[in-house]
C-alpha cells in the first residue's frame, strides 16, 4: 500500500497540565493502529494555541497532509467554563417547560446551587403540553402561550432557551418540543434553542438541568469550535474536525457547538478507549472486560471497559457542579493517588500515609528525587528500584526500608479497594495501566488476572480521541403487552443502528455496543429500552445536524390561550435564608424552630428528614428528592410547614392520610402536580368536612414520608402534620398499614372511602371492598389507566383510633437519622456511621448493625409490577477494608448476608464461613442498606456489585409486632415466606419527639 492510500487520523487530548497529540495510521492491513508520532505540549491559557502547537509537532511525520482523514479533539474548554463559573463564557437561560398541570412545585433551576442559579437563571414558563408514559398527551401545545413567553424572553434580552417536555424522550410522533422550538425561532430570529430530548434521557429535572447547562454554553461553544476549525486551516489541513464526546464517539463541530455538554467527560473516556485500542494491537489479548487505571501526577482515574471497547456508563443520575444530571457519562472513580502524592509517617504511631494532597506539576522541583525536600510517591518507587530512569537515585537512598514498604503497601491497598469496587463481578479481570504515573502500580494486584502496560501508554488519551467512533442511541419506553420483549428489543436495536449510519457510521462496521431492557415498577406491559449502536466513521462527513423549523403538529387556540403563561422572574431572592451547615459544629449547634408546640420546618430540617425517610424506606418507597425540592421551594418563598406531636391533636379531631401511588419511573419524569391535593379535597367534600384537623403520613419511608407536608403547607391547606405515620417504614401495598392492622373486620373499612386523582381531570372513588387486599389491587389497576402515578387519599380517621394505630414520632426519627448522617459526613467519621445511626434511632437494644461488606451479587426481576430479587453482601477481609478510626474500631464481620426484596428488603440471612445459616432479621423489622462511603440510603434499584455497604436493622413498632394480625399483614408470611417465623430484632424504643426535646429552648 502506498502513502497516498494511507488513512491517518490526528488525535488530540487537552488535559489540565499537558495537551497530547498522536498521528495514528488507521489503514487496513498490518500497519493499522501504528502510532506514527506523538507529542506533549503544556496546555496554554489559550487552549486552542496549545492544540495547534501539539498538532504541528506530529505533522512532520505525515508524508502528505492529504492522507489525514480527520482531526479528533478531546477538550476541557466547555467543562472548565462551568467549573470556573465564568460569566464571560456563560449566558442566562430561559426555560419553557411543557407540563400541563404537573411539575409546578419543582420549577426549573430548583436544584441548582445558589451561585450557579444566580448566574444562569432566566425566566421560566410552565405551559400546556407534556406526555403520559404511554405516549398520549397530557395536554396539547398552545401556540398563543408560547408566543406570549417569547415576548417576555425577548424583553429580557435572553440569548438561549431550553424547551423541556414531560416524557419528551418517547415523543416520536407528536414532537411537542420540536413544535415549540420552531415557534420560538420564528418569534425570536437567531435565538439559540435546546430541546431537552436531544441532551439527555428519562428524568425530567435532571434532563432539564443538563439542557440548561448546555444552553448556557452555546455562544461560547460556537466561538470555540470555529477556533478549532481555524487552527486546522492555519495548519493547512483540509480534513474535517471532530470533537470527542463523553461516551467515546465523535461529534461534528456543528454538533459540538449545539451539544457542548456531551464533551464534559471526554478525557477519562479517551483514556479508556485508547487503552482498549492499544490492547487490541497486542497478540493474545481478545476483546474482554478490563479495568483501565490512569495514574497522573495528582489523581488516579479508574474505569471499567466493556468487551465492546467502550466504557461502562455511570449510574442514571450524577452530580456536576452541584447540579443533578442524567446525560451519558463514563463511570469513573477518582482517588488522591499520583506521582506527586505526598508521603508522611506519623511520628508517634509510625503509620505511613499516601496523599491525598500532592505536589502536582511541581514534582520536578519539590520531590526528593529531583532535589526537593518533599517525600512523594515517585521518590518511593525510585528508592524501591522500580524506576531508575527518573531523577537522581542517590537523592532517595536515605529513605528507610520500612517507609518504602509501608508506602507501597498503602498504594497497593488503595488501588485494590477501588479496583474491586469498580468490578461488576467477583471474577478476576485484567488491568490496563496508562498515564505517566503508572510506575506506582505493582505488577500483582488481588482480584486482577494480569497488569498490562502497553507501548504508548503515556498518550493513550490522544489515541482514544483518534479512534473515536460514530454512535446512535435510542432511549424509550415501548409497549411489550402484545409483542415479545425479544422482538421489541430487536426493533429498537435496528433503529439505533439506522441512527448511527445516518450520523456517518460505516454500515459495514456498525454494531450494538449497549442494549438494556429496564422493567417499570408497579407496571406490566411496558419496558424502558436503552440501546447504543456504534461504528467507525465512514469517511464521509456526517450531516451538520443544523436545526430547521419543522412544520410539526400545532394546536390552535382553544380559549385558554389568551391567558398570560405562568412566568417566574429570574433570580428571585429567597424570603427565608437557611442556616449553613458547613462543619460538624454547625450541625451540633443547630436547633429546630419550635413555636407553641409546633415545629416550623426549615430547609435544613427538610434535608435531614428526606435523608432519614429514604433510610426508613428499607430499599423501597422511592427517593424523596423531588418532594424535598418542592418543599424547600415552599419554605424559601416564605410558606410555613408545621409538624405537631399527637398530644397536640384535639380528642375529637379527624386526621387525613394518604400519599402517592404508582411507579417511581413515572414520578421521576412527570413530577408531582396537585393530584394528592385534589384527591384530598374531593374526599373531604364527599364526607362533608372542610378539612381535617391534622395530616399523617401513610408511610414514613421514601417520598410518601413528606408528601403530606406539601398538602399541609400554608400554600395549600394550612394543616399541621402529625409526627408519625401508619407504617414506620415503607411497604409495597396500601393494605399493609397499621391503620388496617387494627381494622379486624378485614374489609378495609378504615381505608374507605378512598379517592384517587390523576392530577389532570380524572377522579376515582372507591367506597367498599370484599377484602382489604382488594383495595390496593383495584386502585392500582385504575392507577395504571390514569397515567401510572396518582394521588390517593383515604378516609380521615378519628383521633382515638389514630392514637392506637399510628406509629408515633417517626418524623422525628427520620430527622435524627438525617442529622446523624450529616454529622458523620462533616466529622469525617463515616467509618462509625453504623454506631452513630444506632444511637440516633434508640440505642443498641432496639437497633444494630447487622452486617458490613461489599455487594457481590444482585439478581432482580419484575413480577406483577413489583421488583423482586435478592442481594448478596460478602464481608470484607482485613486487607480489603479501609483504615478506620483507631479510637473507635469497627465491628468485623465474616461470611455473607443475603437479603431478598420485593421493592423493600424482606429478611436478612447470614451464612457463616462453615455454611451454617442464621436468620438475623425479618419484616416487619426494618432492614436498611446504606452506602458505607457516604452514609446515603440505597434503594433496591441502586444495588450493584462492588458497593461497600452497611446493613442497619431497627426493631419494628408494637403496632406491627404486638398482634397476630400485624404479623400476618407485615411479617414474612405476607410475602410468601410461611416457613420463616418472625423473631424480634430487639426491643422497640419509641423515638424521642424533636418538639419535646427543643420546645423548652425555643
Amino acid at each position: 500500500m502506498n502513502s497516498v492510500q494511507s488513512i491517518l487520523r490526528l488525535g488530540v487530548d487537552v488535559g489540565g497540565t499537558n495537551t497530547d497529540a498522536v498521528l495514528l495510521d488507521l489503514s487496513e492491513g498490518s500497519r493499522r493502529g501504528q502510532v506514527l508520532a506523538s507529542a506533549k505540549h503544556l496546555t496554554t491559557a489559550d487552549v486552542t494555541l496549545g492544540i495547534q502547537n501539539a498538532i504541528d509537532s506530529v505533522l512532520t511525520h505525515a508524508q502528505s497532509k492529504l492522507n489525514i482523514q480527520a482531526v479528533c479533539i478531546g477538550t476541557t474548554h466547555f467543562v472548565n467554563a462551568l467549573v470556573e463559573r465564568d460569566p464571560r463564557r456563560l449566558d442566562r437561560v430561559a426555560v419553557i417547560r411543557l407540563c400541563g398541570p404537573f411539575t409546578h412545585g419543582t420549577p426549573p433551576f430548583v436544584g441548582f446551587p445558589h451561585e450557579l442559579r444566580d448566574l444562569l437563571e432566566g425566566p421560566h414558563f410552565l405551559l400546556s403540553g407534556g406526555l403520559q408514559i404511554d405516549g398520549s398527551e397530557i395536554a396539547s401545545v398552545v401556540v398563543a402561550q408560547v408566543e406570549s413567553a417569547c415576548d417576555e424572553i425577548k424583553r429580557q434580552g435572553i440569548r438561549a432557551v431550553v424547551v423541556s417536555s414531560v416524557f419528551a424522550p418517547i415523543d416520536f410522533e407528536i414532537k411537542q418540543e420540536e413544535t415549540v422550538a420552531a415557534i420560538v425561532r420564528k418569534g425570536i430570529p437567531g435565538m439559540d434553542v435546546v430541546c431537552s430530548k436531544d441532551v439527555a434521557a428519562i428524568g425530567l429535572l435532571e434532563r432539564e438541568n443538563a439542557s440548561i447547562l448546555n444552553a448556557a454554553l452555546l455562544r461560547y461553544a460556537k466561538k470555540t469550535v470555529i477556533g478549532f476549525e481555524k487552527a486546522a486551516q492555519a495548519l493547512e489541513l483540509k480534513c474535517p474536525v471532530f470533537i470527542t464526546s463523553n461516551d467515546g464517539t465523535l461529534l461534528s463541530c456543528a454538533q459540538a457547538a449545539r451539544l457542548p455538554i456531551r464533551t464534559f467527560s471526554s478525557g477519562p473516556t479517551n483514556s479508556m478507549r485508547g487503552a482498549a485500542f492499544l490492547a487490541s494491537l497486542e497478540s493474545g489479548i481478545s476483546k474482554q472486560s478490563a479495568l483501565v487505571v490512569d495514574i497522573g501526577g495528582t489523581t488516579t482515574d479508574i474505569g471499567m471497559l466493556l468487551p465492546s471497547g467502550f466504557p461502562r456508563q455511570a449510574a442514571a443520575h450524577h452530580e456536576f457542579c452541584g447540579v443533578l444530571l442524567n446525560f451519558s457519562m463514563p463511570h469513573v472513580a477518582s482517588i488522591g493517588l499520583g506521582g506527586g502524592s505526598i508521603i508522611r509517617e506519623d511520628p508517634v504511631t509510625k503509620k505511613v500515609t499516601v496523599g491525598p494532597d500532592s505536589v502536582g506539576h511541581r514534582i520536578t522541583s519539590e520531590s526528593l528525587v529531583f532535589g526537593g525536600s518533599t517525600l512523594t510517591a515517585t521518590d518511593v518507587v525510585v528508592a524501591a528500584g522500580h524506576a531508575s530512569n527518573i531523577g537522581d537515585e542517590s537523592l532517595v537512598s536515605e529513605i528507610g526500608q520500612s517507609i518504602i514498604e509501608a508506602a507501597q503497601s498503602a498504594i497497593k491497598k488503595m488501588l485494590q479497594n477501588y479496583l474491586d469496587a469498580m468490578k461488576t463481578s467477583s471474577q478476576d479481570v485484567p488491568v490496563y495501566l496508562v498515564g505517566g504515573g503508572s510506575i506506582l502500580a505493582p505488577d500483582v494486584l488481588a482480584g486482577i488476572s494480569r497488569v498490562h502496560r502497553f507501548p504508548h501508554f503515556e498518550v493513550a488519551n490522544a489515541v482514544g480521541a483518534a479512534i473515536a467512533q460514530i454512535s446512535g442511541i435510542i432511549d424509550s419506553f415501548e409497549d411489550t403487552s402484545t409483542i415479545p420483549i425479544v422482538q421489541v428489543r430487536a426493533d429498537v436495536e435496528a433503529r439505533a443502528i439506522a441512527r448511527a449510519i445516518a450520523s456517518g457510521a460505516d454500515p459495514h462496521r456498525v454494531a450494538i455496543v449497549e442494549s438494556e431492557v429496564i422493567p417499570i415498577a408497579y407496571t406490566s406491559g411496558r419496558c424502558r429500552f436503552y440501546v447504543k449502536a456504534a461504528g467507525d466513521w465512514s469517511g464521509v462527513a456526517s450531516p451538520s445536524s443544523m436545526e430547521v423549523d419543522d412544520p410539526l403538529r400545532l394546536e390552535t387556540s382553544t380559549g385558554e390561550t389568551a391567558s398570560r403563561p405562568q412566568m417566574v422572574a429570574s433570580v428571585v431572592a429567597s424570603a427565608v435564608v437557611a442556616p449553613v451547615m458547613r462543619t460538624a459544629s454547625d450541625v451540633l449547634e443547630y436547633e429546630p424552630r419550635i413555636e407553641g408546640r409546633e415545629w416550623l420546618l426549615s430547609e435544613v430540617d427538610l434535608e435531614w428528614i428526606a435523608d432519614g425517610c429514604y433510610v426508613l424506606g428499607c430499599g423501597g418507597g422511592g427517593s424523596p428528592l423531588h418532594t424535598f425540592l418542592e418543599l424547600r421551594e415552599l419554605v424559601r418563598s416564605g410558606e410555613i410547614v408545621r409538624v405537631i406531636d399527637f398530644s397536640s391533636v384535639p380528642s375529637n379531631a379527624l386526621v387525613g392520610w394518604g400519599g402517592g401511588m404508582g411507579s417511581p419511573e413515572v414520578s421521576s419524569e412527570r413530577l408531582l402536580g396537585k393530584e394528592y391535593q385534589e384527591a384530598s379535597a374531593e374526599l373531604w367534600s364527599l364526607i362533608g368536612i372542610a378539612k381535617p384537623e391534622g395530616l399523617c403520613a401513610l408511610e414514613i419511608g421514601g417520598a410518601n414520608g413528606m408528601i403530606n407536608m406539601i398538602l399541609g403547607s400554608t400554600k395549600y391547606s394550612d394543616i399541621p402534620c402529625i409526627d408519625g405515620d401508619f407504617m414506620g417504614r415503607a411497604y409495597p401495598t396500601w393494605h399493609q398499614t397499621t391503620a388496617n392492622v387494627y381494622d379486624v373486620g378485614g374489609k378495609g373499612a378504615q381505608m374507605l372511602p378512598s379517592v384517587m386523582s390523576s392530577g389532570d381531570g380524572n377522579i376515582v372513588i372507591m367506597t367498599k371492598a370484599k377484602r382489604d387486599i382488594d383495595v390496593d389491587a383495584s386502585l392500582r389497576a385504575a392507577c395504571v389507566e390514569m397515567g401510572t402515578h396518582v394521588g390517593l387519599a383515604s378516609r380521615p380517621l378519628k383521633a382515638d383510633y389514630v392514637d392506637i394505630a399510628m406509629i408515633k414520632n417517626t418524623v422525628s426519627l427520620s430527622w435524627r437519622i438525617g442529622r446523624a448522617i450529616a454529622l458523620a459526613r462533616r466529622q469525617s467519621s463515616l467509618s462509625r456511621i453504623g454506631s452513630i445511626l444506632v444511637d440516633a434511632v434508640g440505642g443498641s437494644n432496639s437497633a444494630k448493625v447487622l452486617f458490613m461488606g461489599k455487594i457481590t451479587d444482585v439478581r432482580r426481576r419484575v413480577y406483577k409490577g413489583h421488583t423482586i430479587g435478592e442481594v448478596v453482601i460478602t464481608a470484607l477481609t482485613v486487607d480489603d477494608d479501609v483504615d478506620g478510626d483507631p479510637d473507635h474500631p469497627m465491628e468485623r464481620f465474616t461470611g455473607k448476608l443475603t437479603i431478598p426484596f420485593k421493592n423493600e428488603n424482606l429478611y436478612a440471612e447470614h451464612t457463616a464461613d462453615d455454611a451454617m445459616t442464621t436468620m438475623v432479621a425479618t419484616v416487619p423489622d426494618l432492614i436498611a442498606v446504606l452506602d458505607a462511603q457516604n452514609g446515603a440510603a440505597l434503594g433496591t434499584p441502586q444495588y450493584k456489585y462492588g458497593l461497600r455497604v452497611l446493613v442497619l436493622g431497627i426493631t419494628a413498632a408494637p403496632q406491627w409486632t404486638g398482634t397476630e394480625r400485624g404479623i400476618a399483614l407485615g411479617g414474612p408470611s405476607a410475602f410468601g415466606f410461611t416457613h420463616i417465623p418472625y423473631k424480634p430484632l430487639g426491643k422497640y424504643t419509641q423515638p424521642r419527639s424533636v418538639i419535646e426535646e427543643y420546645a423548652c429552648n425555643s
Side-chain angles (χ1 to χ4, degrees), residues 566-864:
Q566 178 176 345
M567 190 275 287
V568 185
S570 63
V571 199
V572 176
S574 295
V576 178
V577 178
V580 178
M581 297 286 117
R582 289 197 178 95
T583 67
S585 295
D586 294 332
V587 174
L588 291 169
E589 293 169 6
Y590 173 77
E591 292 192 1
R593 179 183 170 194
I594 313 295
E595 293 185 2
R597 301 294 296 180
E598 289 188 338
W599 177 10
L600 309 183
L601 299 182
S602 71
E603 65 176 85
V604 172
D605 298 324
L606 291 169
E607 181 179 348
W608 292 353
I609 291 168
D611 285 344
C613 283
Y614 208 17
V615 172
L616 295 174
C618 301
S623 170
L625 173 64
H626 294 145
T627 313
F628 157 70
L629 289 174
E630 181 166 348
L631 282 163
R632 188 176 70 177
E633 283 294 287
L634 289 174
V635 169
R636 283 181 174 179
S637 65
E639 302 293 348
I640 296 173
V641 179
R642 299 179 288 153
V643 174
I644 60 173
D645 284 338
F646 181 76
S647 60
S648 298
V649 177
S651 59
N652 61 345
L654 287 177
V655 176
W657 63 296
M661 171 186 272
S663 167
E665 284 83 355
V666 173
S667 57
S668 71
E669 177 69 31
R670 199 195 72 188
L671 309 181
L672 285 176
K674 297 180 181 177
E675 53 266 46
Y676 183 47
Q677 291 92 312
E678 291 172 2
S680 299
E682 187 76 19
L683 176 63
W684 302 340
S685 175
L686 178 71
I687 63 176
I689 65 171
K691 63 181 181 181
E693 285 76 14
L695 295 171
C696 181
L698 158 74
E699 56 186 342
I700 195 65
N704 271 336
M706 302 180 78
I707 194 171
N708 279 279
M709 295 174 182
I710 298 173
L711 173 61
S713 71
T714 51
K715 180 174 181 178
Y716 295 109
S717 301
D718 194 16
I719 305 172
C721 292
I722 301 171
D723 191 353
D725 77 301
F726 292 112
M727 288 189 188
R729 47 168 300 141
Y731 269 120
T733 60
W734 207 264
H735 60 268
Q736 289 176 302
T737 64
T738 53
N740 190 39
V741 167
Y742 290 90
D743 182 4
V744 295
K747 295 185 177 181
Q750 296 296 336
M751 295 186 282
L752 300 174
S754 285
V755 175
M756 193 161 66
S757 170
S758 65
D760 63 351
N762 295 315
I763 298 283
V764 169
I765 301 172
M766 186 171 185
T767 60
K768 188 179 291 185
K770 182 178 180 180
R771 301 170 301 168
D772 54 10
I773 61 173
D774 294 333
V775 177
D776 182 84
S778 301
L779 292 174
R780 202 168 292 279
C783 169
V784 172
E785 295 301 317
M786 296 168 71
T788 321
H789 194 275
V790 296
L792 176 56
S794 288
R795 167 190 173 181
L797 301 172
K798 294 180 179 179
D800 57 353
Y801 189 82
V802 173
D803 190 18
I804 299 169
M806 186 185 75
I807 303 172
K808 295 182 176 67
N809 299 342
T810 52
V811 176
S812 290
L813 176 62
S814 64
W815 182 89
R816 294 185 188 283
I817 291 172
R819 179 179 182 270
I821 293 171
L823 185 61
R825 288 170 178 168
R826 287 162 179 81
Q827 286 179 330
S828 299
S829 55
L830 284 168
S831 61
R832 297 193 295 116
I833 186 67
S835 60
I836 292 172
L837 285 172
V838 167
D839 290 341
V841 301
S844 57
N845 289 330
S846 59
K848 64 176 65 175
V849 176
L850 302 178
F851 203 74
M852 289 187 71
K854 68 178 180 182
I855 294 177
T856 53
D857 194 18
V858 184
R859 294 183 288 273
R860 56 170 64 92
R861 63 189 176 91
V862 170
Y863 177 69
K864 292 186 177 179

Side-chain angles (χ1 to χ4, degrees), residues 835-900:
S835 60
I836 292 172
L837 285 172
V838 167
D839 290 341
V841 301
S844 57
N845 289 330
S846 59
K848 64 176 65 175
V849 176
L850 302 178
F851 203 74
M852 289 187 71
K854 68 178 180 182
I855 294 177
T856 53
D857 194 18
V858 184
R859 294 183 288 273
R860 56 170 64 92
R861 63 189 176 91
V862 170
Y863 177 69
K864 292 186 177 179
H866 296 283
T867 301
I868 296 172
E870 70 175 24
V871 58
V872 178
I873 304 165
T874 302
L876 297 172
T877 66
V878 175
D879 288 339
D880 283 335
D881 214 346
V882 294
D883 292 323
D885 184 345
D887 297 326
H888 301 88
M890 291 187 296
E891 183 179 357
R892 296 287 178 182
F893 294 87
T894 59
K896 64 181 181 181
L897 193 74
T898 302
I899 305 176

Side-chain angles (χ1 to χ4, degrees), residues 61-75:
H61 295 267
Q63 293 183 8
S64 170
K65 293 180 181 179
L66 296 176
N67 293 347
I68 299 174
Q69 184 192 48
V71 178
C72 306
I73 301 171
T75 179

Side-chain angles (χ1 to χ4, degrees), residues 166-371:
V166 174
F167 279 116
I170 65 170
D171 184 7
F172 303 115
E173 297 178 3
I174 303 171
K175 299 185 178 179
Q176 288 191 350
E177 286 191 352
E178 294 91 332
T179 297
V180 172
I183 297 171
V184 173
R185 291 193 187 96
K186 181 179 179 182
I188 317 175
M191 175 62 68
D192 286 325
V193 184
V194 175
C195 291
S196 77
K197 66 194 295 184
D198 294 333
V199 176
I202 297 297
L204 175 69
L205 212 56
E206 296 77 14
R207 181 176 70 253
E208 186 177 79
N209 290 346
S211 302
I212 289 168
L213 297 184
N214 188 80
L217 285 163
L218 287 179
R219 180 174 54 88
Y220 176 61
K222 290 177 185 176
K223 177 182 177 182
T224 302
V225 298
I226 289 172
F228 290 165
E229 291 182 319
K230 286 183 176 179
Q233 292 168 5
L235 294 168
E236 299 180 346
L237 295 171
K238 307 298 183 183
C239 59
V241 176
F242 290 101
I243 315 298
T244 61
S245 69
N246 302 322
D247 64 358
T249 57
L250 293 170
L251 298 171
S252 68
C253 280
Q255 290 169 327
R258 193 163 58 92
L259 294 167
I261 198 167
R262 289 194 179 175
T263 70
F264 278 15
S265 290
S266 61
T269 300
N270 288 341
S271 292
M272 286 188 270
R273 291 275 294 141
F277 185 79
L278 294 173
S280 71
L281 303 179
E282 297 291 303
S283 60
I285 297 181
S286 59
K287 288 187 176 182
Q288 58 188 336
S289 292
L291 288 160
V292 176
V293 180
D294 186 352
I295 306 178
T298 302
T299 60
T300 294
D301 291 335
I302 302 173
M304 171 62 81
L305 266 177
L306 302 175
S308 63
F310 284 87
R312 183 176 73 204
Q313 295 299 289
H317 297 162
H318 43 268
E319 272 196 8
F320 176 78
C321 290
V323 180
L324 200 61
L325 308 171
N326 69 339
F327 63 88
S328 179
M329 290 179 72
H331 182 201
V332 176
S334 295
I335 57 176
L337 172 65
S341 293
I342 298 173
I343 310 291
R344 294 182 178 88
E345 182 184 40
D346 188 287
V348 178
T349 65
K350 300 301 180 182
K351 180 180 178 180
V352 174
T353 58
V354 180
D357 50 341
S358 167
V359 298
H361 65 274
R362 301 186 306 276
I363 188 170
T364 54
S365 60
E366 295 191 12
S367 66
L368 298 181
V369 77
F370 290 108

